[in-house]
Structures are given as structure tokens and as C-alpha cells.
Amino acid sequence: MIYKRETNEQATELTKEYGKSYSKRNLQYFRKFYQCFPDIEIVNSCVHNLTWTHFRSLLRVADEDARVWYMSEAAHENWNVRMLDRNISTQYYHRLLQSPKKEAVIAEMKRKNDQFPKTHFELVKSPVVAEFLGFKDEGSYLESDLESAILSHIRDFLMEMGRGFAFVARQQHIVTETEDYFIDLVFYNIELKCYVLVDLKMGKITHQDVGQIDMYVRMYDDLKRTAGDNPSIGILLCSETDEDIARYSVLHDNNRLFMSKYLTYLPTEEQLKQEIERQKAVFYMQHPLQIEEDGKNNER
């Protein structure tokens, strides 16, 4: 009670002398800011890009490592406040930590990723939270609608996919000697220096879908990849992943083909945690050797 009374009195005095910026609420924010960001060196490296509204959003993050990571990424990637709020609400930081390449993600957090090259495993996130597309349930749209919505919200989609993505084409036409093919979405990842082919699928994927993305990647490397590009990557972006596909299809132990689940709604914190664990388990079914490698890395 004493603290509240003193804060009220201080707010009244400061407001009279300096204006409304020193309201009781703002004084509480100032105090919390001082407590949450004690290292002035870290803050100074970011304040040139971030506004006070950015920092008010950051004050909501209880985990210190997560808070500093969000601050650094927001400054480095020029996130606006809406992007920052969305990344916080969808637990972007914790989803990255749950990725199979934890040690590289932590290195990114501590050293802004400038000295560490990305790997294929860091490129793929599952689930992809795409509530910004505006769909409530799978019965309300077609695959073509999903494609169109992604293009309409391409900036949000690229941000959700991760760093270094650039859009190349929708329904890219590939012509062979015998047939015409159309790839749903093609991106280029600047950090990995490779094309990323995305095949959109509603419902649980099938072995036919896997065969198709495998063919697309081989075909793209043969017909489109240049000398400066690394081998292409294929992602089956579906509304439901499949454990048998992960274990027994050509996806198994293939470092260039992945399946990733998308969500068209913003889940609760508990739902998101459960979904992250489910998709992590599916990933390890597809890449069993990563379990041992990640275990070693976590012990270091």
C-alpha cells in the first residue's frame, strides 16, 4: 500500500511538472523496464530501432532469455510492434528452442546468428501458425484459397517461415520433354542459398504426395538450379502430418524433404506446447539419427 501511495504522489508531482507521460501507469512501466533490462549495453544496441511501445510489449515476457532474444530479433529484423506482439503470443522463441537443432537456435539468440550458418533442420518449423490467413476450419476453404491467402499475407507468412526467405513464384510452370508440372509455391532462402519448394495439402498427407514433392525437388535441381545454388528443399505443408509416412516413406532420413503442419487458428499456450511436442516426435521419426546428435549437443 505504501508503494502504491508513493507512486500516486510521484505521478501527480511529475505530471504537473513534465506532463502526462509520467502517469502512475507509466511509472510502473518505467520501474518494470529498469528491473527487466538491467544491462544497459544490451539495450543501447537495440534502442535505435525500437520504440517505447516495443519495450512495453517486451515487458510482458517473463522469461529473461526469451525477452532479450525477442528484443534483439525485433531490432535486427526491423519488426514492427504488431509483428513483435504476434511472435510473442505464438511463442516464436520457445518454438525455435523446441526445434531439433537447439544448439544453433541458442547460438542465434546469444550472438544474433551472424557467425553461425543455418542448416536445413533449422529452416523447417512445425507447426506453422498461420492464423493471419483468416480461415476458421478446413471445410471453409480449398487449396487454391489457401494459396491465395498466403500470397495476400506474404509478409506475415515469410516471417512465420523464418529468416532469409524470398518469394519466387506461385504455381511455377515446369516443362519436361513429356509433361507440364505446376509447383504450388517456390521460395529462395538467402542464408542457405537454395530454393525451397512448398506443396500445400489439405488433410493428412499420402505417399502419393510424398512422391510428388520428391519428384519436384529432383526436377527443379535438374532444370532450374544454377551453379551457385545448393540442392533444393521440399516441404509438404499439410493440415495433418502422418507417423507412418515419417517412418516408412522416402521422407525417412531424407535431409531435403520435410513435412510440416500448418494451423489456421491461434492455439492456446497449452495447445501450442502439445502440438510442438507432437510435431517434434514426428520429426524424430523421420530423422531418427538426430535424437542421438541433439542429445550430445544438449549435454555440452
Side-chain angles (χ1 to χ4, degrees):
M1 293 296 295
I2 294 175
Y3 167 71
K4 288 184 178 178
R5 186 167 63 249
E6 289 178 348
T7 302
N8 283 329
E9 293 171 355
Q10 290 169 349
T12 301
E13 292 175 8
L14 290 170
T15 299
K16 286 180 181 177
E17 188 167 353
Y18 298 108
K20 62 182 180 180
S21 296
Y22 292 90
S23 65
K24 174 186 172 183
R25 189 177 182 186
N26 275 346
L27 288 183
Q28 291 171 336
Y29 276 127
F30 298 158
R31 181 174 182 272
K32 192 171 183 180
F33 177 86
Y34 176 77
Q35 293 172 331
C36 290
F37 296 101
D39 191 338
I40 195 65
E41 299 263 338
I42 294 176
V43 176
N44 279 340
S45 67
C46 298
V47 292
H48 305 295
N49 300 66
L50 306 182
T51 66
W52 174 239
T53 309
H54 280 95
F55 281 105
R56 281 178 54 175
S57 295
L58 290 166
L59 294 177
R60 302 193 336 249
V61 182
D63 184 287
E64 182 179 358
D65 288 339
R67 187 168 57 248
V68 172
W69 185 87
Y70 282 123
M71 180 179 66
S72 299
E73 285 297 292
H76 186 251
E77 296 297 324
N78 291 315
W79 291 350
N80 59 35
V81 175
R82 185 180 66 83
M83 290 179 180
L84 175 60
D85 284 339
R86 182 182 177 278
N87 284 338
I88 291 173
S89 65
T90 57
Q91 299 186 70
Y92 188 31
Y93 167 81
H94 291 99
R95 283 190 289 143
L96 283 176
L97 282 188
Q98 290 287 351
S99 75
K101 284 289 185 179
K102 284 185 183 179
E103 78 290 348
V105 177
I106 293 173
E108 180 182 60
M109 175 191 72
K110 292 182 177 178
R111 308 188 188 183
K112 301 182 181 178
N113 201 36
D114 291 338
Q115 303 169 15
F116 295 84
K118 277 186 169 288
T119 69
H120 294 176
F121 296 110
E122 294 167 72
L123 178 73
V124 182
K125 286 197 296 181
S126 186
V128 172
V129 182
E131 90 291 346
F132 49 80
L133 298 180
F135 299 120
K136 293 183 179 179
D137 58 75
E138 193 171 357
S140 66
Y141 60 91
L142 304 173
E143 284 180 10
S144 58
D145 298 326
L146 183 63
E147 231 175 79
S148 297
I150 288 173
L151 291 185
S152 297
H153 300 81
I154 191 65
R155 185 177 183 184
D156 290 322
F157 186 76
L158 291 177
M159 183 179 69
E160 175 62 18
M161 289 288 284
R163 290 177 55 173
F165 279 93
F167 176 67
V168 175
R170 172 193 184 184
Q171 290 294 316
Q172 185 164 24
H173 188 193
I174 303 294
V175 182
T176 68
E177 294 180 359
T178 59
E179 196 67 68
D180 287 33
Y181 298 91
F182 295 88
I183 302 174
D184 287 345
L185 297 168
V186 179
F187 301 92
Y188 193 86
N189 189 273
I190 298 168
E191 297 191 14
L192 287 180
K193 293 182 172 56
C194 71
Y195 287 99
V196 181
L197 316 183
V198 176
D199 202 14
L200 301 173
K201 297 297 174 184
M202 292 176 61
K204 187 179 290 187
I205 66 173
T206 66
H207 65 277
Q208 290 94 338
D209 298 327
V210 174
Q212 180 171 280
I213 192 67
D214 181 38
M215 182 180 69
Y216 283 168
V217 168
R218 296 171 187 269
M219 188 185 302
Y220 211 89
D221 278 353
D222 185 46
L223 301 175
K224 294 289 187 179
R225 183 162 70 100
T226 66
D229 301 322
N230 289 318
S232 302
I233 294 172
I235 300 176
L236 279 165
L237 190 58
C238 51
S239 56
E240 193 58 55
T241 52
D242 185 277
E243 295 179 7
D244 287 342
I245 294 290
R247 285 193 183 101
Y248 304 119
S249 75
V250 295
L251 287 181
H252 190 74
D253 264 350
N254 190 320
N255 292 346
R256 296 172 60 197
L257 298 178
F258 300 88
M259 61 178 166
S260 183
K261 180 174 180 176
Y262 65 82
L263 301 175
T264 56
Y265 62 93
L266 186 61
T268 64
E269 183 175 341
E270 186 58 33
Q271 288 174 330
L272 187 56
K273 287 179 180 178
Q274 292 174 0
E275 192 59 61
I276 288 171
E277 290 304 317
R278 277 196 293 269
Q279 296 310 315
K280 184 178 177 182
V282 170
F283 176 90
Y284 281 132
M285 291 173 195
Q286 183 185 345
H287 303 282
L289 294 179
Q290 285 300 122
I291 299 177
E292 182 179 353
E293 182 177 335
D294 291 341
K296 291 178 181 178
N297 289 326
N298 290 335
E299 292 173 359
R300 291 173 186 170

